[in-house]
Amino acid sequence: MNGPQILFVIPILGGIPVTETVRNSWIAMAVIFLVALWLASGLKKVPGRKQAVAELAVNTIYNLVGNTMGKDKLYFAPYMGTLFVFSLCSSLLSLFGFRPPTGDLNTTMCWALITFGMIQVFGVKSKGLYAKLHTLIEPMPLMFPLNFIGEFSNPVSMMFRHFGNIAAGIAITSLLYSGLAAASNILLGWFTSIPILQLGIPAILSVYFDLFTSCLQPYIFIMLTMVYVSNSME
């Protein structure tokens, strides 16, 4: 409820705090790295089950990027796939009792800043600096303030949407556990000190917040990233 805890401080540059977010992000990266090594080992011309799963995942990402951004922009697929998998694994850590890194605004803010940078860089690269700047006064110069704000509002909304959904799940689950513990103590405290009411009920919400939302938000994030970047290049 109070944000990620500071685990320790690195005594350089005035002290660099290492939080749960940093630790859990490295856990997610380690899991992804090991799974990727396992899926990529022993590749054959005639794929087995493991290789078929790996090829299906790669083809799915490339097809999604091709259908959303166009076949000429398939070079974005590795980044979109990495972002999706990292976001998914980070959010699913809540199923194992870890605080998800996506529940920290710093994480989603970094991803949104990367998206903002891609929008600007590839927009200028595709259309030229003059044409990119000219879009700020389309369809008329009076639209400049709104167009200028719009350049920043898209990544900001992405940042808060992803963070807000995961953080809301953390907050609601924490409040539910506390409430059920108090209710169990009031109703059954004379019988047992075990918070029996905490059994079963939180698992139902966990299916939504920890599983469904964790799978949905990465998809939404990369879809918006692809749409905004491709639109800036048109």
Side-chain angles (χ1 to χ4, degrees):
M1 294 293 290
N2 296 323
Q5 297 180 356
I6 297 177
L7 303 176
F8 59 91
V9 177
I10 301 176
I12 58 174
L13 301 177
I16 301 176
V18 177
T19 65
E20 288 180 290
T21 299
V22 177
R23 180 198 64 187
N24 296 345
S25 295
W26 277 97
I27 292 175
M29 287 188 286
V31 171
I32 295 170
F33 179 72
L34 293 175
V35 172
L37 283 180
W38 176 66
L39 289 176
S41 62
L43 298 181
K44 301 177 181 178
K45 291 184 177 180
V46 179
R49 292 182 180 180
K50 182 184 69 172
Q51 184 174 336
V53 171
E55 292 181 359
L56 176 62
V58 172
N59 288 332
T60 299
I61 290 296
Y62 271 85
N63 290 334
L64 181 63
V65 173
N67 293 332
T68 305
M69 304 184 72
K71 300 297 183 182
D72 59 325
K73 299 180 179 67
L74 289 178
Y75 50 86
F76 286 105
Y79 171 73
M80 299 303 171
T82 301
L83 181 59
F84 177 83
V85 173
F86 185 32
S87 176
L88 177 64
C89 290
S90 297
S91 299
L92 289 178
L93 285 178
S94 58
L95 291 173
F96 303 95
F98 294 97
R99 181 184 176 87
T102 45
D104 188 336
L105 188 59
N106 293 294
T107 300
T108 56
M109 179 179 65
C110 289
W111 297 345
L113 288 175
I114 293 174
T115 297
F116 177 77
M118 292 173 65
I119 292 173
Q120 307 309 318
V121 171
F122 286 100
V124 171
K125 184 178 179 180
S126 177
K127 297 185 294 189
L129 180 59
Y130 174 79
K132 175 62 180 176
L133 294 176
H134 192 268
T135 59
L136 296 176
I137 59 172
E138 293 178 350
M140 60 182 67
L142 290 177
M143 295 298 294
F144 173 79
L146 292 179
N147 290 335
F148 183 77
I149 294 173
E151 288 291 319
F152 296 92
S153 63
N154 290 335
V156 170
S157 66
M158 292 171 60
M159 169 182 69
F160 280 107
R161 180 186 292 108
H162 198 348
F163 158 76
N165 279 276
I166 303 301
I170 297 174
I172 292 175
T173 303
S174 299
L175 290 173
L176 180 64
Y177 270 104
S178 299
L180 291 175
S184 181
N185 184 56
I186 294 173
L187 298 176
L188 304 172
W190 58 271
F191 176 70
T192 178
S193 61
I194 300 176
I196 297 178
L197 295 182
Q198 287 186 343
L199 302 176
I201 298 177
I204 299 175
L205 286 180
S206 179
V207 173
Y208 176 79
F209 288 115
D210 294 335
L211 188 59
F212 177 73
T213 303
S214 297
C215 295
L216 180 63
Q217 290 307 311
Y219 176 77
I220 294 175
F221 199 94
I222 66 166
M223 285 297 296
L224 291 176
T225 299
M226 288 190 289
V227 170
Y228 292 150
V229 173
S230 61
N231 284 345
S232 71
M233 299 174 66
E234 296 298 331

